[in-house]
């Protein structure tokens, strides 16, 4: 028996207190720059048991100006920006080449928190990209070696054969190069921190980069 989508949606609850801890957030005590606050919130998400807190939505657009979004993994964050990786030949790689600007969104429902960032994106040098890949798991290397991301696939059997060959090579050659694999760095010009509130008095703290300095604003929820 099929479910009615609208009835199903109305039955769902946001931020169930049995699994969500909506914590107070005083923006007056927030640091002058977004990175320290992101680091603290990320650590709290991990401690709260948030599944896969390092996953994030990546929004891009291509030459046609149409928006695209998908989930990717955060590889790091420092004063130079937030990093993620993909094949330069993939759809998102092509879009970033055409329009090197993107947005990221982290959602941690265990704490009722979001972090949104947007800004220009640059590709890291090949040596840095390969170093990042080879510091990861055998599975990550095998997936990269399988390649052909975003291309049309003939069958699941074709994928299975290519994947098996890639896994074998990754085990035998842990330093195998993947020239198309690219580490991208988003350097935010804007960063928003959202803390949910059970009475819908959500706290939104927005950082804007203005003439080389971070300016903080509160936003209406």
């Amino acid at each position: 028996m099929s479910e009615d989508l609208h009835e199903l949606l109305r039955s769902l609850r946001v931020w169930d207190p049995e699994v969500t801890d909506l914590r107070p957030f005083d923006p007056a005590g927030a640091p002058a720059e977004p990175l320290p606050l992101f680091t603290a919130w990320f650590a709290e998400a991990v401690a709260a048991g948030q599944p896969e807190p390092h996953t994030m939505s990546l929004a891009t657009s291509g030459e046609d100006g149409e928006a695209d979004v998908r989930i990717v993994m955060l590889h790091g964050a420092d004063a130079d920006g937030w990093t993620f990786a993909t094949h330069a030949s993939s759809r998102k790689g092509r879009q970033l080449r055409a329009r090197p600007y993107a947005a990221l969104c982290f959602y941690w429902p265990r704490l009722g928190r979001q972090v949104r960032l947007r800004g220009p994106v640059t590709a890291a040098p090949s040596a840095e990209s390969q170093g990042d890949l080879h510091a990861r798991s055998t599975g990550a290397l095998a997936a990269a070696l399988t390649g052909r991301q975003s291309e049309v696939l003939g069958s699941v059997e074709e994928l299975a054969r290519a994947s098996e060959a890639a896994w074998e090579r990754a085990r035998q050659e842990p330093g195998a190069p993947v020239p198309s694999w690219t580490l991208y760095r988003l350097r935010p010009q804007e960063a928003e921190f959202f803390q949910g509130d059970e009475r819908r008095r959500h706290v939104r703290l927005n950082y804007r980069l203005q003439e080389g300095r971070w300016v903080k604003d509160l936003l209406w929820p």
Side-chain angles (χ1 to χ4, degrees):
M1 180 177 179
S2 62
E3 295 281 355
D4 180 87
L5 177 61
H6 296 92
E7 289 295 329
L8 188 58
L9 287 169
R10 282 192 287 270
S11 72
L12 298 175
R13 185 173 183 179
V14 177
W15 301 331
D16 187 332
E18 291 187 4
V19 295
T20 301
D21 177 15
L22 296 176
R23 301 180 181 181
F25 172 45
D26 181 7
E33 298 184 353
L35 180 59
L37 183 55
F38 176 84
T39 302
W41 275 27
F42 184 84
E44 290 176 16
V46 173
Q50 174 62 53
E52 301 183 357
H54 56 322
T55 56
M56 58 190 181
S57 298
L58 166 67
T60 56
S61 62
E63 291 180 338
D64 57 9
E66 296 186 2
D68 211 345
V69 67
R70 75 289 287 165
I71 304 297
V72 298
M73 184 183 299
L74 178 69
H75 284 215
D78 55 29
D80 293 325
W82 276 246
T83 55
F84 57 93
T86 188
H87 290 281
S89 55
S90 69
R91 178 179 294 178
K92 53 188 172 293
R94 297 193 304 270
Q95 290 172 339
L96 288 169
R97 183 167 58 251
R99 291 193 172 192
Y101 194 91
L104 303 175
C105 182
F106 295 85
Y107 179 46
W108 301 316
R110 285 283 176 92
L111 300 174
R113 287 176 174 173
Q114 293 183 61
V115 179
R116 301 168 59 212
L117 309 107
R118 59 179 181 171
V121 177
T122 56
S126 178
E128 185 179 351
S129 297
Q130 297 302 301
D132 176 80
L133 174 61
H134 295 136
R136 308 189 76 78
S137 66
T138 301
L141 177 58
L145 286 167
T146 302
R148 303 184 66 179
Q149 192 175 53
S150 303
E151 294 182 17
V152 174
L153 174 66
S155 67
V156 293
E157 291 78 16
E158 181 183 0
L159 173 59
R161 289 192 297 270
S163 176
E164 191 62 36
W167 270 91
E168 184 62 27
R169 186 180 177 194
R171 294 188 187 99
Q172 295 183 1
E173 300 178 53
V178 184
S180 63
W181 191 254
T182 305
L183 188 69
Y184 291 94
R185 181 171 285 110
L186 183 147
R187 191 159 195 163
Q189 295 175 329
E190 190 171 358
E192 180 192 326
F193 293 79
F194 172 105
Q195 173 61 68
D197 177 85
E198 64 180 349
R199 300 191 67 181
R200 302 303 189 263
R201 299 171 183 173
H202 313 311
V203 179
R204 295 177 63 189
L205 176 63
N206 194 59
Y207 289 80
R208 291 180 294 112
L209 196 58
Q210 186 172 304
E211 297 179 351
R213 294 177 58 254
W214 287 105
V215 177
K216 294 186 288 184
D217 299 300
L218 289 176
L219 304 178
W220 281 86

mmCIF file of all heavy atoms in Angstrom, residues 137-177:
data_model
loop_
_atom_site.group_PDB
_atom_site.id
_atom_site.type_symbol
_atom_site.label_atom_id
_atom_site.label_comp_id
_atom_site.label_asym_id
_atom_site.label_seq_id
_atom_site.Cartn_x
_atom_site.Cartn_y
_atom_site.Cartn_z
ATOM 1 N N SER A 137 41.842 6.371 2.414
ATOM 2 C CA SER A 137 41.738 4.914 2.479
ATOM 3 C C SER A 137 41.965 4.260 1.120
ATOM 4 O O SER A 137 41.931 4.914 0.073
ATOM 5 C CB SER A 137 40.340 4.525 2.983
ATOM 6 O OG SER A 137 39.350 4.896 2.027
ATOM 7 N N THR A 138 42.169 2.939 1.164
ATOM 8 C CA THR A 138 42.279 2.164 -0.074
ATOM 9 C C THR A 138 41.009 2.300 -0.903
ATOM 10 O O THR A 138 41.057 2.400 -2.129
ATOM 11 C CB THR A 138 42.545 0.684 0.248
ATOM 12 O OG1 THR A 138 43.758 0.569 0.992
ATOM 13 C CG2 THR A 138 42.657 -0.145 -1.026
ATOM 14 N N GLY A 139 39.869 2.310 -0.224
ATOM 15 C CA GLY A 139 38.602 2.455 -0.920
ATOM 16 C C GLY A 139 38.486 3.788 -1.646
ATOM 17 O O GLY A 139 37.945 3.853 -2.757
ATOM 18 N N ALA A 140 38.994 4.855 -1.015
ATOM 19 C CA ALA A 140 38.953 6.171 -1.655
ATOM 20 C C ALA A 140 39.800 6.174 -2.923
ATOM 21 O O ALA A 140 39.396 6.719 -3.962
ATOM 22 C CB ALA A 140 39.436 7.242 -0.686
ATOM 23 N N LEU A 141 40.985 5.541 -2.842
ATOM 24 C CA LEU A 141 41.842 5.463 -4.021
ATOM 25 C C LEU A 141 41.195 4.607 -5.104
ATOM 26 O O LEU A 141 41.227 4.951 -6.294
ATOM 27 C CB LEU A 141 43.215 4.905 -3.639
ATOM 28 C CG LEU A 141 44.206 4.690 -4.790
ATOM 29 C CD1 LEU A 141 44.462 5.991 -5.550
ATOM 30 C CD2 LEU A 141 45.516 4.104 -4.273
ATOM 31 N N ALA A 142 40.594 3.492 -4.708
ATOM 32 C CA ALA A 142 39.938 2.620 -5.683
ATOM 33 C C ALA A 142 38.809 3.350 -6.398
ATOM 34 O O ALA A 142 38.640 3.227 -7.619
ATOM 35 C CB ALA A 142 39.405 1.370 -4.996
ATOM 36 N N ALA A 143 38.029 4.125 -5.640
ATOM 37 C CA ALA A 143 36.936 4.884 -6.251
ATOM 38 C C ALA A 143 37.474 5.908 -7.235
ATOM 39 O O ALA A 143 36.923 6.104 -8.327
ATOM 40 C CB ALA A 143 36.111 5.566 -5.173
ATOM 41 N N ALA A 144 38.578 6.562 -6.855
ATOM 42 C CA ALA A 144 39.177 7.552 -7.756
ATOM 43 C C ALA A 144 39.734 6.890 -9.007
ATOM 44 O O ALA A 144 39.609 7.419 -10.119
ATOM 45 C CB ALA A 144 40.269 8.322 -7.020
ATOM 46 N N LEU A 145 40.352 5.710 -8.843
ATOM 47 C CA LEU A 145 40.910 4.990 -9.989
ATOM 48 C C LEU A 145 39.813 4.472 -10.920
ATOM 49 O O LEU A 145 40.028 4.357 -12.126
ATOM 50 C CB LEU A 145 41.765 3.817 -9.502
ATOM 51 C CG LEU A 145 43.130 4.175 -8.903
ATOM 52 C CD1 LEU A 145 43.726 2.985 -8.179
ATOM 53 C CD2 LEU A 145 44.079 4.666 -9.991
ATOM 54 N N THR A 146 38.655 4.169 -10.358
ATOM 55 C CA THR A 146 37.541 3.727 -11.207
ATOM 56 C C THR A 146 37.187 4.814 -12.210
ATOM 57 O O THR A 146 36.937 4.548 -13.387
ATOM 58 C CB THR A 146 36.315 3.375 -10.348
ATOM 59 O OG1 THR A 146 36.675 2.346 -9.420
ATOM 60 C CG2 THR A 146 35.161 2.890 -11.212
ATOM 61 N N GLY A 147 37.183 6.070 -11.735
ATOM 62 C CA GLY A 147 37.043 7.225 -12.621
ATOM 63 C C GLY A 147 35.732 7.292 -13.381
ATOM 64 O O GLY A 147 34.738 6.681 -13.018
ATOM 65 N N ARG A 148 35.749 8.065 -14.463
ATOM 66 C CA ARG A 148 34.615 8.267 -15.376
ATOM 67 C C ARG A 148 33.396 8.832 -14.660
ATOM 68 O O ARG A 148 32.253 8.609 -15.075
ATOM 69 C CB ARG A 148 34.265 6.955 -16.089
ATOM 70 C CG ARG A 148 35.422 6.356 -16.871
ATOM 71 C CD ARG A 148 35.025 5.113 -17.629
ATOM 72 N NE ARG A 148 34.064 5.426 -18.691
ATOM 73 C CZ ARG A 148 33.557 4.512 -19.529
ATOM 74 N NH1 ARG A 148 33.930 3.237 -19.404
ATOM 75 N NH2 ARG A 148 32.695 4.859 -20.455
ATOM 76 N N GLN A 149 33.626 9.561 -13.568
ATOM 77 C CA GLN A 149 32.524 10.103 -12.784
ATOM 78 C C GLN A 149 31.619 10.991 -13.631
ATOM 79 O O GLN A 149 32.093 11.834 -14.386
ATOM 80 C CB GLN A 149 33.083 10.901 -11.600
ATOM 81 C CG GLN A 149 32.050 11.269 -10.559
ATOM 82 C CD GLN A 149 32.688 11.944 -9.359
ATOM 83 O OE1 GLN A 149 33.419 12.912 -9.497
ATOM 84 N NE2 GLN A 149 32.422 11.420 -8.178
ATOM 85 N N SER A 150 30.331 10.798 -13.500
ATOM 86 C CA SER A 150 29.260 11.552 -14.183
ATOM 87 C C SER A 150 29.050 11.125 -15.629
ATOM 88 O O SER A 150 28.131 11.626 -16.285
ATOM 89 C CB SER A 150 29.504 13.068 -14.132
ATOM 90 O OG SER A 150 29.635 13.536 -12.806
ATOM 91 N N GLU A 151 29.879 10.215 -16.157
ATOM 92 C CA GLU A 151 29.641 9.729 -17.513
ATOM 93 C C GLU A 151 28.505 8.701 -17.509
ATOM 94 O O GLU A 151 28.177 8.129 -16.468
ATOM 95 C CB GLU A 151 30.914 9.073 -18.080
ATOM 96 C CG GLU A 151 32.070 10.032 -18.297
ATOM 97 C CD GLU A 151 33.276 9.350 -18.906
ATOM 98 O OE1 GLU A 151 33.119 8.235 -19.457
ATOM 99 O OE2 GLU A 151 34.388 9.921 -18.823
ATOM 100 N N VAL A 152 27.907 8.472 -18.665
ATOM 101 C CA VAL A 152 26.835 7.486 -18.772
ATOM 102 C C VAL A 152 27.413 6.084 -18.575
ATOM 103 O O VAL A 152 28.440 5.737 -19.171
ATOM 104 C CB VAL A 152 26.133 7.594 -20.139
ATOM 105 C CG1 VAL A 152 25.104 6.474 -20.311
ATOM 106 C CG2 VAL A 152 25.451 8.956 -20.278
ATOM 107 N N LEU A 153 26.755 5.278 -17.746
ATOM 108 C CA LEU A 153 27.188 3.914 -17.435
ATOM 109 C C LEU A 153 26.332 2.923 -18.205
ATOM 110 O O LEU A 153 25.103 3.009 -18.185
ATOM 111 C CB LEU A 153 27.073 3.671 -15.930
ATOM 112 C CG LEU A 153 27.345 2.256 -15.421
ATOM 113 C CD1 LEU A 153 28.797 1.875 -15.640
ATOM 114 C CD2 LEU A 153 26.967 2.158 -13.935
ATOM 115 N N GLY A 154 26.992 1.966 -18.851
ATOM 116 C CA GLY A 154 26.260 0.994 -19.643
ATOM 117 C C GLY A 154 25.480 -0.004 -18.826
ATOM 118 O O GLY A 154 24.354 -0.372 -19.172
ATOM 119 N N SER A 155 26.049 -0.479 -17.701
ATOM 120 C CA SER A 155 25.369 -1.480 -16.877
ATOM 121 C C SER A 155 26.068 -1.550 -15.527
ATOM 122 O O SER A 155 27.223 -1.134 -15.380
ATOM 123 C CB SER A 155 25.412 -2.859 -17.540
ATOM 124 O OG SER A 155 26.752 -3.343 -17.581
ATOM 125 N N VAL A 156 25.379 -2.120 -14.546
ATOM 126 C CA VAL A 156 25.988 -2.291 -13.229
ATOM 127 C C VAL A 156 27.117 -3.308 -13.293
ATOM 128 O O VAL A 156 28.066 -3.266 -12.505
ATOM 129 C CB VAL A 156 24.931 -2.705 -12.180
ATOM 130 C CG1 VAL A 156 23.952 -1.578 -11.932
ATOM 131 C CG2 VAL A 156 24.192 -3.968 -12.598
ATOM 132 N N GLU A 157 27.036 -4.248 -14.249
ATOM 133 C CA GLU A 157 28.106 -5.235 -14.407
ATOM 134 C C GLU A 157 29.395 -4.556 -14.874
ATOM 135 O O GLU A 157 30.498 -4.908 -14.432
ATOM 136 C CB GLU A 157 27.687 -6.309 -15.413
ATOM 137 C CG GLU A 157 26.576 -7.240 -14.932
ATOM 138 C CD GLU A 157 25.197 -6.605 -15.018
ATOM 139 O OE1 GLU A 157 25.056 -5.568 -15.725
ATOM 140 O OE2 GLU A 157 24.263 -7.127 -14.383
ATOM 141 N N GLU A 158 29.267 -3.569 -15.741
ATOM 142 C CA GLU A 158 30.435 -2.828 -16.213
ATOM 143 C C GLU A 158 31.103 -2.097 -15.055
ATOM 144 O O GLU A 158 32.337 -2.093 -14.922
ATOM 145 C CB GLU A 158 30.012 -1.834 -17.296
ATOM 146 C CG GLU A 158 31.176 -1.028 -17.880
ATOM 147 C CD GLU A 158 30.706 -0.001 -18.909
ATOM 148 O OE1 GLU A 158 29.482 0.079 -19.163
ATOM 149 O OE2 GLU A 158 31.574 0.709 -19.457
ATOM 150 N N LEU A 159 30.283 -1.505 -14.198
ATOM 151 C CA LEU A 159 30.822 -0.835 -13.018
ATOM 152 C C LEU A 159 31.522 -1.827 -12.098
ATOM 153 O O LEU A 159 32.610 -1.538 -11.579
ATOM 154 C CB LEU A 159 29.691 -0.129 -12.263
ATOM 155 C CG LEU A 159 30.067 0.475 -10.900
ATOM 156 C CD1 LEU A 159 31.174 1.513 -11.039
ATOM 157 C CD2 LEU A 159 28.846 1.069 -10.223
ATOM 158 N N ALA A 160 30.919 -2.997 -11.897
ATOM 159 C CA ALA A 160 31.511 -3.999 -11.008
ATOM 160 C C ALA A 160 32.890 -4.428 -11.501
ATOM 161 O O ALA A 160 33.830 -4.554 -10.717
ATOM 162 C CB ALA A 160 30.580 -5.204 -10.894
ATOM 163 N N ARG A 161 33.025 -4.629 -12.810
ATOM 164 C CA ARG A 161 34.324 -5.040 -13.369
ATOM 165 C C ARG A 161 35.366 -3.940 -13.195
ATOM 166 O O ARG A 161 36.506 -4.208 -12.785
ATOM 167 C CB ARG A 161 34.160 -5.387 -14.852
ATOM 168 C CG ARG A 161 33.383 -6.675 -15.114
ATOM 169 C CD ARG A 161 33.507 -7.100 -16.570
ATOM 170 N NE ARG A 161 32.928 -6.117 -17.485
ATOM 171 C CZ ARG A 161 31.660 -6.122 -17.884
ATOM 172 N NH1 ARG A 161 30.821 -7.061 -17.440
ATOM 173 N NH2 ARG A 161 31.216 -5.205 -18.737
ATOM 174 N N ALA A 162 34.983 -2.697 -13.497
ATOM 175 C CA ALA A 162 35.926 -1.579 -13.381
ATOM 176 C C ALA A 162 36.321 -1.354 -11.926
ATOM 177 O O ALA A 162 37.491 -1.090 -11.616
ATOM 178 C CB ALA A 162 35.304 -0.316 -13.971
ATOM 179 N N SER A 163 35.353 -1.484 -11.033
ATOM 180 C CA SER A 163 35.626 -1.275 -9.612
ATOM 181 C C SER A 163 36.557 -2.349 -9.066
ATOM 182 O O SER A 163 37.486 -2.055 -8.301
ATOM 183 C CB SER A 163 34.313 -1.262 -8.824
ATOM 184 O OG SER A 163 34.559 -1.151 -7.442
ATOM 185 N N GLU A 164 36.319 -3.599 -9.458
ATOM 186 C CA GLU A 164 37.170 -4.692 -8.979
ATOM 187 C C GLU A 164 38.612 -4.497 -9.431
ATOM 188 O O GLU A 164 39.558 -4.704 -8.664
ATOM 189 C CB GLU A 164 36.628 -6.024 -9.499
ATOM 190 C CG GLU A 164 37.274 -7.241 -8.856
ATOM 191 C CD GLU A 164 37.033 -7.303 -7.358
ATOM 192 O OE1 GLU A 164 35.931 -6.916 -6.921
ATOM 193 O OE2 GLU A 164 37.958 -7.723 -6.633
ATOM 194 N N ALA A 165 38.790 -4.084 -10.693
ATOM 195 C CA ALA A 165 40.138 -3.836 -11.206
ATOM 196 C C ALA A 165 40.789 -2.671 -10.464
ATOM 197 O O ALA A 165 41.992 -2.694 -10.159
ATOM 198 C CB ALA A 165 40.070 -3.544 -12.705
ATOM 199 N N ALA A 166 39.999 -1.640 -10.155
ATOM 200 C CA ALA A 166 40.537 -0.483 -9.443
ATOM 201 C C ALA A 166 40.943 -0.844 -8.019
ATOM 202 O O ALA A 166 41.986 -0.398 -7.524
ATOM 203 C CB ALA A 166 39.501 0.642 -9.435
ATOM 204 N N TRP A 167 40.136 -1.678 -7.352
ATOM 205 C CA TRP A 167 40.483 -2.119 -6.003
ATOM 206 C C TRP A 167 41.787 -2.920 -6.013
ATOM 207 O O TRP A 167 42.643 -2.743 -5.135
ATOM 208 C CB TRP A 167 39.354 -2.969 -5.418
ATOM 209 C CG TRP A 167 38.323 -2.166 -4.674
ATOM 210 C CD1 TRP A 167 37.186 -1.623 -5.190
ATOM 211 C CD2 TRP A 167 38.352 -1.824 -3.290
ATOM 212 N NE1 TRP A 167 36.498 -0.953 -4.202
ATOM 213 C CE2 TRP A 167 37.183 -1.071 -3.020
ATOM 214 C CE3 TRP A 167 39.234 -2.085 -2.245
ATOM 215 C CZ2 TRP A 167 36.892 -0.563 -1.754
ATOM 216 C CZ3 TRP A 167 38.940 -1.585 -0.976
ATOM 217 C CH2 TRP A 167 37.785 -0.831 -0.750
ATOM 218 N N GLU A 168 41.943 -3.780 -6.993
ATOM 219 C CA GLU A 168 43.162 -4.578 -7.073
ATOM 220 C C GLU A 168 44.389 -3.682 -7.270
ATOM 221 O O GLU A 168 45.429 -3.877 -6.630
ATOM 222 C CB GLU A 168 43.041 -5.574 -8.225
ATOM 223 C CG GLU A 168 44.212 -6.539 -8.343
ATOM 224 C CD GLU A 168 44.377 -7.423 -7.119
ATOM 225 O OE1 GLU A 168 43.374 -7.681 -6.415
ATOM 226 O OE2 GLU A 168 45.515 -7.860 -6.867
ATOM 227 N N ARG A 169 44.252 -2.700 -8.143
ATOM 228 C CA ARG A 169 45.379 -1.794 -8.375
ATOM 229 C C ARG A 169 45.668 -0.952 -7.137
ATOM 230 O O ARG A 169 46.834 -0.707 -6.798
ATOM 231 C CB ARG A 169 45.093 -0.882 -9.561
ATOM 232 C CG ARG A 169 46.306 -0.026 -9.921
ATOM 233 C CD ARG A 169 46.066 0.894 -11.091
ATOM 234 N NE ARG A 169 47.242 1.719 -11.324
ATOM 235 C CZ ARG A 169 47.248 2.802 -12.097
ATOM 236 N NH1 ARG A 169 46.132 3.179 -12.734
ATOM 237 N NH2 ARG A 169 48.357 3.510 -12.237
ATOM 238 N N ALA A 170 44.616 -0.494 -6.447
ATOM 239 C CA ALA A 170 44.803 0.325 -5.249
ATOM 240 C C ALA A 170 45.545 -0.452 -4.160
ATOM 241 O O ALA A 170 46.381 0.114 -3.442
ATOM 242 C CB ALA A 170 43.461 0.806 -4.729
ATOM 243 N N ARG A 171 45.255 -1.756 -4.055
ATOM 244 C CA ARG A 171 45.953 -2.577 -3.064
ATOM 245 C C ARG A 171 47.421 -2.773 -3.433
ATOM 246 O O ARG A 171 48.303 -2.763 -2.569
ATOM 247 C CB ARG A 171 45.267 -3.942 -2.937
ATOM 248 C CG ARG A 171 43.861 -3.900 -2.367
ATOM 249 C CD ARG A 171 43.347 -5.309 -2.105
ATOM 250 N NE ARG A 171 41.933 -5.323 -1.713
ATOM 251 C CZ ARG A 171 40.932 -5.599 -2.542
ATOM 252 N NH1 ARG A 171 41.187 -5.928 -3.815
ATOM 253 N NH2 ARG A 171 39.690 -5.590 -2.113
ATOM 254 N N GLN A 172 47.684 -2.967 -4.730
ATOM 255 C CA GLN A 172 49.047 -3.236 -5.181
ATOM 256 C C GLN A 172 49.877 -1.957 -5.339
ATOM 257 O O GLN A 172 51.102 -1.991 -5.179
ATOM 258 C CB GLN A 172 49.014 -3.998 -6.502
ATOM 259 C CG GLN A 172 48.421 -5.389 -6.402
ATOM 260 C CD GLN A 172 48.483 -6.142 -7.713
ATOM 261 O OE1 GLN A 172 48.996 -5.636 -8.713
ATOM 262 N NE2 GLN A 172 47.963 -7.364 -7.730
ATOM 263 N N GLU A 173 49.201 -0.834 -5.673
ATOM 264 C CA GLU A 173 49.902 0.437 -5.888
ATOM 265 C C GLU A 173 49.243 1.537 -5.066
ATOM 266 O O GLU A 173 48.462 2.341 -5.589
ATOM 267 C CB GLU A 173 49.857 0.833 -7.363
ATOM 268 C CG GLU A 173 50.478 -0.149 -8.331
ATOM 269 C CD GLU A 173 50.326 0.332 -9.766
ATOM 270 O OE1 GLU A 173 50.711 1.488 -10.055
ATOM 271 O OE2 GLU A 173 49.789 -0.429 -10.579
ATOM 272 N N PRO A 174 49.521 1.600 -3.773
ATOM 273 C CA PRO A 174 48.873 2.613 -2.927
ATOM 274 C C PRO A 174 49.238 4.047 -3.307
ATOM 275 O O PRO A 174 48.573 4.983 -2.877
ATOM 276 C CB PRO A 174 49.366 2.266 -1.518
ATOM 277 C CG PRO A 174 50.603 1.449 -1.729
ATOM 278 C CD PRO A 174 50.390 0.699 -3.003
ATOM 279 N N GLY A 175 50.264 4.214 -4.123
ATOM 280 C CA GLY A 175 50.633 5.555 -4.583
ATOM 281 C C GLY A 175 50.268 5.801 -6.030
ATOM 282 O O GLY A 175 50.783 6.741 -6.652
ATOM 283 N N ALA A 176 49.366 4.977 -6.585
ATOM 284 C CA ALA A 176 48.979 5.127 -7.996
ATOM 285 C C ALA A 176 48.420 6.526 -8.253
ATOM 286 O O ALA A 176 47.542 6.990 -7.526
ATOM 287 C CB ALA A 176 47.940 4.074 -8.369
ATOM 288 N N PRO A 177 48.904 7.210 -9.282
ATOM 289 C CA PRO A 177 48.421 8.561 -9.555
ATOM 290 C C PRO A 177 47.044 8.550 -10.226
ATOM 291 O O PRO A 177 46.717 7.631 -10.975
ATOM 292 C CB PRO A 177 49.485 9.133 -10.500
ATOM 293 C CG PRO A 177 50.021 7.927 -11.218
ATOM 294 C CD PRO A 177 49.986 6.803 -10.211
#
